[in-house]
Amino acid sequence: MKKYIAYLFVFLFSLSVATGSNAEDLSVLKVGATAGPHAEILEFLKDRLKDRGIDLQVYSFNDYITPNAALDQGDLDANSYQHGLFMDTQNQDRGYSLVSVAKTVVCPMGFYSKKIDDVDDLREGAKVSVPNDPANVGRALALLEEKGFIKLADGVGYRASVLDVVENSKGIKFVEIEAPQLPRVLDDVDMGAVNVNYAVEAGLSPLEDAILLEDPETSPFANIIAAREDNRDDRRIAILIEVYHSDETRKFILDRFKGSFVPAW
């Protein structure tokens, strides 16, 4: 009996050591995202990544600038919140060497209003708020041009600023606002563009509340997972992409966000 107890003790001790070792062997992966849906999707992936030996640590941010700065400085291994045009603009303006390693979701930008129910009712001289960052203001202006409210200078495309508006038949007065603040100024404008993650966070449904919305089927603004040039082939990031691009994650996104976020893979 004593011998049996001794063997059992050794077995249990060995098991506890092995379990502790497995926990310690998890590879930490630090990924940044804007607070709200992007961070929520990453949180959904945590248990699945743990099964693959990855300890996913999600860092939430309340702006679009800091996650790229943290990635460039090496404080993050990757981030998941932006589309490729925004990343390219950041690379050019700030000297980063960030790269896209995978597509995630399309988040259609919309215009919302607390004063009108139909975009065709927009009055002459209306105040319209748009994002003040270079990538997203062009996206909002392109949507207004597609609607026929304005015309942009030839060739500017999605890099347009309000200075590139060459025709403005309704005399729209543009108000440029930091993206996280856009939902908060809707009381003060006739209509305002809001990026979908901030719209959802503010309780707005793009499919139900937007009076003007990008077509997610044709939008060129698929969001991405970004890494640095020096770690783009990191095994941990490859596993993150594999788990993100699973049928299980696709179902979660479609069920949770009801078409506000559309899988882009």
Side-chain angles (χ1 to χ4, degrees), residues 78-140:
N79 64 42
S80 177
Y81 76 101
Q82 63 189 321
H83 53 69
L85 179 59
F86 183 81
M87 184 193 70
D88 291 343
T89 301
Q90 290 272 287
N91 281 342
Q92 181 177 347
D93 293 347
R94 298 172 182 266
Y96 298 156
S97 296
L98 307 183
V99 294
S100 171
V101 293
K103 291 182 178 181
T104 56
V105 293
V106 174
C107 311
M109 177 178 280
F111 279 85
Y112 302 80
S113 177
K114 294 187 176 182
K115 298 181 179 178
I116 58 175
D117 295 323
D118 191 317
V119 68
D120 290 327
D121 294 333
L122 191 68
R123 66 181 179 87
E124 298 285 333
K127 291 174 64 177
V128 175
S129 54
V130 293
N132 69 351
D133 60 271
N136 284 301
V137 66
R139 185 177 182 181

Side-chain angles (χ1 to χ4, degrees), residues 186-200:
L186 290 176
D187 287 326
D188 304 319
V189 297
D190 294 284
M191 180 176 77
V194 184
N195 297 74
V196 72
N197 57 314
Y198 293 121
V200 171

